[in-house]
Amino acid sequence: MNSARPWPTLVVASALTLACAVAAGVAGSAAGTELTRGPSTAELRAAAEREVAERWLTWPPGRIFPATLPYSAEQGGTERASRVGISRHTACGDSVDAAVAEFLSAGGCRGVLRATYVDALRGVLVTIGVVAMRDALGAERAKSAFADTGKPVPGLVPLAFRGTVADRFTSAVRQAGSVRQAGPYLVLTTAGQVDGRPGDAADEPRPAIFAFAAEISEHVLTGLSAPRMPDCSAEEWQC
């Protein structure tokens, strides 16, 4: 039997073999390029967003809540609020009033970090609460549940520390509050006076003495939400 193939068949077979070889070469080249190329702009942006969203978990508490925070004094100049303590508890429902806890849950609350500060004159206490939400949309929606008029209720529950200047900082002492949002974070404040006087027993409202609370919270929020250029060679990044 003559096993020779007709010429057209040989041509087609040769062409197919060549095409497969070229395709394999292109695929291998593409795979090599994919493995060796640097991250794209979209990948860098995604890495930056992930890093920001995880800061509440990955940053040490003292980085989120510095030992002191600057603010503008009533009489001019700059003063610094001092940190009294940081809470170890992060449960969403335990850190805010019940009336707003459900809104945090619905928006995908991941945790709440709290720290209490005292002003330079040691007369006013402020608890700052960092609420980590699932995403920016959830944070924006949850923000609407909190009073934006300066009233402390419904809002953040004060954080007291026994044996310190914040020993008597209970919910009844609250006189002012604030809420800010950036990215997946809400930053709340609640403020009252060191002497423990109930908010409804204050002789005369003095909103100016509590104004610094929102200012120091802005420092905390900016630090948490400001994006950074990814450094894919560093262990903290996943590009």
Side-chain angles (χ1 to χ4, degrees), residues 122-148:
R122 301 182 71 79
V124 176
L125 295 164
V126 178
T127 294
I128 301 176
V130 170
V131 184
M133 302 296 289
R134 180 175 53 220
D135 51 34
L137 181 59
E140 186 175 352
R141 288 176 175 173
K143 179 185 176 183
S144 63
F146 294 87
D148 60 358

Side-chain angles (χ1 to χ4, degrees), residues 5-237:
R5 295 180 181 178
W7 173 250
T9 303
L10 291 176
V11 171
V12 171
S14 299
L16 288 174
T17 300
L18 179 60
C20 290
V22 171
V26 171
S29 176
T33 301
E34 180 67 20
L35 290 173
T36 58
R37 71 170 176 81
S40 67
T41 300
E43 289 168 337
L44 288 174
R45 185 180 300 110
E49 291 177 355
R50 285 195 302 270
E51 191 270 338
V52 167
E54 297 301 318
R55 284 176 183 172
W56 75 282
L57 285 173
T58 59
W59 280 14
R63 183 175 180 181
I64 297 173
F65 300 115
T68 64
L69 288 168
Y71 65 91
S72 302
E74 283 189 77
Q75 65 274 19
T78 300
E79 293 182 338
R80 303 189 75 87
S82 300
R83 189 184 66 216
V84 179
I86 301 173
S87 175
R88 296 182 179 181
H89 303 289
T90 62
C92 295
D94 297 341
S95 303
V96 297
D97 293 318
V100 290
E102 60 183 281
F103 290 92
L104 293 188
S105 178
C109 179
R110 303 173 66 194
V112 180
L113 310 178
R114 288 185 299 162
T116 292
Y117 287 80
V118 63
D119 71 331
L121 297 178
R122 301 182 71 79
V124 176
L125 295 164
V126 178
T127 294
I128 301 176
V130 170
V131 184
M133 302 296 289
R134 180 175 53 220
D135 51 34
L137 181 59
E140 186 175 352
R141 288 176 175 173
K143 179 185 176 183
S144 63
F146 294 87
D148 60 358
T149 59
K151 295 182 178 180
V153 181
L156 186 68
V157 174
L159 177 63
F161 290 93
R162 183 174 299 177
T164 72
V165 69
D167 186 73
R168 293 179 287 181
F169 197 21
T170 65
S171 291
V173 177
R174 294 180 289 182
Q175 296 186 44
S178 69
V179 56
R180 300 286 188 276
Q181 182 259 328
Y185 295 108
L186 287 177
V187 172
L188 312 171
T189 68
T190 189
Q193 293 177 268
V194 170
D195 60 12
R197 74 183 68 179
D200 57 6
D203 297 332
E204 182 180 348
R206 295 181 58 196
I209 70 172
F210 303 113
F212 78 98
E215 187 176 348
I216 63 176
S217 76
E218 286 284 359
H219 290 290
V220 173
L221 180 60
T222 298
L224 274 173
S225 62
R228 292 192 312 166
M229 180 62 66
D231 178 4
C232 297
S233 63
E235 293 183 1
E236 62 182 302
W237 290 98

